[in-house]
Amino acid sequence: MALPGTRRRTATAALALSLLVIPTPAAATPPAATAPATSSPAPALSSVIPAPVEVTPDARQTFHLGPLTVIRTQPGSPASRQIGTHLAGELRPATGYPLPVLPIAPRALPAISLLLGANEARLGDEGYRLTVRTSGITIRANKAAGLYAGTRTLLQLLPVEIDSPTVVRRTWAVAGGGIVDFPRFTYRGAMLDEARHFHAPAEIKAYIDEISRFKINYLHLHLSDDQGWRVQIDSWPKLTQVSGGAGTGVDGVGPGFLTKAQYKDLISYAAKRFITIVPEIDMPGHVNAAQVAYPELTCDGVAPPPRTDTAVGYSSLCIGSETTYRFVEDVIRELAALTPGPYLHIGGDEARATSDADYLAFQQRVLPLVAKYGKTAYGWHDIAKSPAAANAVAQFWGTGTSEPFLVTAVAGGTKVIMSPASRSYLDMKYDPSTPLGLTWAGYIEVQTAYGWDPATRVTGIGENAILGVEAPLWSETLRNLDNIEFMAFPRLPAIAELGWSPPATHDWQSFATRLGAYGPRWTLRGVDFYRSPQVVWS
Ligand code: TNX
C-alpha cells in the first residue's frame, strides 16, 4: 500500500487546503460539487467495527456531507482543532470539498461538530456520543481521546468511497440517529516485531494509521531479539552499530534500526492518533544480538556468532554478572526517558537457557529498576513467576486455558493483558494454504480469532484482573508492509472488537457481515488484506 506522505495530493485537495477561510456559499463551491454520478445508501449505524455500545437509528434524519460543510471544533481546544484538522485531511481527497476547520460554525452552514464537555461519566476518557441529524453531525466527548474515537466511527458511517485517494463524484450521506460508545477495556493493543525483520518508520506509520481506525490505543514494538537490536541506545552504541546493521534479521535480510529521533517522531505520530507506544527489550533470553555486539554480556566473555535463523530459547544474559545490571539499567533509563507512556516491556519469555533460580534472581533486580525510572513494568506472563511482579502487567501468551502461577500472581495484584497465542497471534497461518506465517499455536481463521472472551479465557483470571487485549505480530516470515497487512487484516479488527465492544454485542454473523462490507475500504486504501472464505466480501 502507499506509505504516509507518499500519497499524491489531488489538485482539488490542494485547492481545498488553500480555502481554509470561512467560505461564503458562492465562494465555497469547489469543482467536485457537480452533479453526483452515484448515490448508494449510507452505511447503517450498526455497521461499525468495533461494535458500539448503543445504536439508535433515526430514519427521518440523514446528513449530507457537502461542499459547504464545515468542521467545527471546540473553541479554545487545540486538541479538538487537531482532531478536526486530521479528520478534514481524511475527508478531502475523496470528496474534494474544502471542509474548513473552525472554532465556530457560521449559521446556516452544515457542520460536523467536535465538542468537549460531554459531562457524561459513563463515556469515561475514550467514549463519545455521536448524533447525526439532517442539519449536522455532533460528536461530544469528555476528553480528546473520545472525540478522536468518534471520528473513527464517523469515517465508517460515510460511504466506502470516502477512502478513495482521488475525488469521487457522489453524494456523501450519513444515516441519521445516535451512537453512545465507550470501551470495555482501557488497553487495546497491537504488537509489531521489529527484530526478526526490521520495519521502517514509514511502514510502522502506515500500520498505526490502519490499527487506529479500529480504536487500538497501544502499539507495542518488540525492539530486540536474538537476530537484531532495533533502537539506538547511546550508552551502548554497538547494539545498533553491530546488531542493527547489514546482515541482521532472519535470513540476514531484515537490517535497520530506529534512531532516537525516528523513535520520538513515531511517538508523536502515534500520539496524534491517540496511540501510545510501548517499547520492549526482551531479556534475559532472546539476547543473542546484544551479546554479539558486547561479548561481556555472556558469562565466558566470548562473542557468540550472529544468528539469522528462527530458533528460540538458546541465549541468556549472565545473571551473576554486575555488567548485566549496568547494561539493563542503562537501557531501561534511556528508554524510559524516551517514553511518555506508562509501560516499559521487559520481555521475559522463553528464557530456556536461564535456570529457574537465575530467572527469579534476575527479575528480583530488574522489575524494580523499571519502577525506579517511573514506568510500570510489563512483560510476557512468565514474569509473574517472580514475587516482584505484583505491580507489573503480565501479557498472557499461552495456548491453554489454565496457568496457575499467573492466577496466584493476579491474587497478589498483577494485572493481565490477554494475547492467547492460539487466538490473537497474527503471525499464525489462517489455514494450511497461507503462504506466510507459523503454525506452532495452530491455524487461526477469522472466526477463531473472534471466537473467545478475554474474561473467561483463562480459569481464575476474570474481567477485573484484565487491562485489555493485544494482538502480537511476530515477523519471522514477514518482510514488508504487504506481508504485515495480509496477516493483520482482518484478524486485527476481531481482537480490537474484543477489546472495545461490550460482550452483549459479540456475534460472529454480525461481525462477518460488517467485515464483508468493510473490505472495499481496505481495497481503496491499498491494504493487502486476506479475503477469508468465512466472510462474504462486498
Ligand atoms: C513465541 S510468544 C515467541 C516469539 C516468537 C513467536 C512466534 C513469545 C512471547 N515468544 O519469540 O517470535 O513465538 O510466533
Side-chain angles (χ1 to χ4, degrees):
M1 76 160 273
L3 299 173
T6 62
R7 218 193 228 188
R8 212 160 39 83
R9 188 185 277 174
T10 63
T12 318
L15 170 67
L17 290 172
S18 68
L19 279 177
L20 288 180
V21 290
I22 300 176
T24 62
T29 309
T34 48
T38 54
S39 93
S40 55
L45 296 189
S46 57
S47 65
V48 173
I49 305 172
V53 173
E54 274 176 32
V55 175
T56 317
D58 182 348
R60 295 162 305 177
Q61 309 278 340
T62 302
F63 179 77
H64 286 90
L65 181 73
L68 303 183
T69 301
V70 302
I71 295 182
R72 171 194 176 201
T73 59
Q74 176 70 40
S77 166
S80 170
R81 184 176 168 79
Q82 185 250 305
I83 294 163
T85 303
H86 189 79
L87 176 66
E90 293 172 309
L91 300 180
R92 283 177 189 136
T95 62
Y97 301 153
L99 299 168
V101 180
L102 310 163
I104 44 145
R107 277 162 64 88
L109 288 184
I112 298 170
S113 301
L114 307 177
L115 303 177
L116 290 166
N119 250 328
E120 222 176 315
R122 69 173 175 152
L123 297 183
D125 288 353
E126 295 186 280
Y128 62 92
R129 174 181 284 275
L130 183 150
T131 310
V132 182
R133 293 186 210 286
T134 305
S135 57
I137 293 179
T138 303
I139 301 174
R140 279 189 189 277
N142 296 326
K143 296 276 176 65
L147 275 188
Y148 181 74
T151 64
R152 300 306 85 191
T153 293
L154 175 57
L155 290 177
Q156 293 186 42
L157 297 179
L158 282 152
V160 295
E161 291 83 1
I162 198 67
D163 284 325
S164 166
T166 54
V167 173
V168 178
R169 293 179 185 206
R170 56 156 299 148
T171 56
W172 300 100
V174 179
I179 290 179
V180 179
D181 203 11
F182 47 86
R184 176 180 178 187
F185 294 113
T186 58
Y187 188 106
R188 303 171 308 278
M191 188 211 86
L192 189 58
D193 175 3
E194 288 287 295
R196 273 54 177 271
H197 286 98
F198 179 69
H199 309 290
E203 298 174 302
I204 301 173
K205 288 179 178 177
Y207 196 50
I208 287 172
D209 283 341
E210 289 301 321
I211 64 179
S212 112
R213 290 176 182 269
F214 301 106
K215 305 186 174 81
I216 293 288
N217 63 348
Y218 284 90
L219 176 64
H220 163 184
L221 293 177
H222 183 77
L223 293 168
S224 71
D225 214 300
D226 290 315
Q227 301 88 343
W229 187 284
R230 308 303 185 192
V231 65
Q232 177 188 345
I233 300 293
D234 295 327
S235 53
W236 297 73
K238 287 195 279 184
L239 290 170
T240 48
Q241 286 164 7
V242 173
S243 291
T248 65
V250 169
D251 296 336
V253 293
F257 67 91
L258 298 169
T259 64
K260 283 193 173 176
Q262 288 172 324
Y263 189 77
K264 284 184 197 160
D265 176 59
L266 278 176
I267 288 172
S268 70
Y269 188 90
K272 291 199 180 86
R273 288 145 185 87
F274 294 84
I275 288 179
T276 300
I277 292 194
V278 179
E280 177 190 349
I281 297 299
D282 204 347
M283 49 198 176
H286 292 273
V287 293
N288 193 72
Q291 293 173 325
V292 170
Y294 289 102
E296 58 266 46
L297 296 175
T298 65
C299 281
D300 61 9
V302 177
R307 294 281 293 253
T308 58
D309 60 304
T310 61
V312 295
Y314 56 83
S315 61
S316 176
L317 289 171
C318 186
I319 303 304
S321 154
E322 283 309 306
T323 306
T324 292
Y325 301 98
R326 193 163 53 78
F327 165 75
V328 170
E329 183 159 359
D330 285 343
V331 170
I332 288 175
R333 188 187 61 251
E334 289 196 35
L335 274 184
L338 279 176
T339 300
Y343 301 116
L344 213 148
H345 200 300
I346 54 168
D349 59 314
E350 297 173 324
R352 293 175 203 150
T354 315
S355 72
D356 290 354
D358 276 358
Y359 188 84
L360 292 178
F362 180 80
Q363 297 299 354
Q364 193 67 31
R365 287 192 63 173
V366 171
L367 284 165
L369 278 180
V370 180
K372 175 176 171 185
Y373 291 99
K375 300 298 170 188
T376 298
Y378 179 20
W380 299 105
H381 75 260
D382 317 57
I383 64 164
K385 291 175 183 156
S386 166
N391 299 314
V393 176
Q395 182 168 15
F396 176 76
W397 62 277
T399 54
T401 57
S402 156
E403 199 61 276
F405 76 83
L406 189 55
V407 175
T408 305
V410 160
T414 304
K415 294 290 182 198
V416 177
I417 288 171
M418 295 298 297
S419 300
S422 49
R423 296 290 180 278
S424 70
Y425 267 35
L426 303 179
D427 63 313
M428 293 299 121
K429 289 178 185 287
Y430 292 97
D431 68 23
S433 71
T434 310
L436 302 166
L438 306 175
T439 57
W440 69 265
Y443 298 112
I444 306 181
E445 249 297 354
V446 184
Q447 189 169 4
T448 306
Y450 186 74
W452 59 287
D453 179 0
T456 59
R457 179 73 192 162
V458 181
T459 309
I461 300 179
E463 188 104 9
N464 292 336
I466 294 173
L467 290 180
V469 295
E470 186 175 294
L473 185 45
W474 301 98
S475 70
E476 283 93 335
T477 65
L478 312 179
R479 294 190 180 178
N480 56 41
L481 185 59
D482 282 347
N483 295 167
I484 289 170
E485 291 171 347
F486 185 76
M487 298 308 273
F489 304 111
R491 290 181 294 194
L492 185 280
I495 306 304
E497 179 148 315
L498 290 172
W500 179 281
S501 305
T505 64
H506 192 84
D507 179 74
W508 163 251
Q509 274 315 325
S510 157
F511 182 67
T513 303
R514 287 177 285 129
L515 266 187
Y518 195 92
R521 297 180 191 268
W522 279 318
T523 302
L524 283 164
R525 296 201 296 273
V527 172
D528 186 18
F529 68 104
Y530 165 65
R531 288 168 195 274
S532 166
Q534 296 182 327
V535 172
V536 180
W537 297 100
S538 294

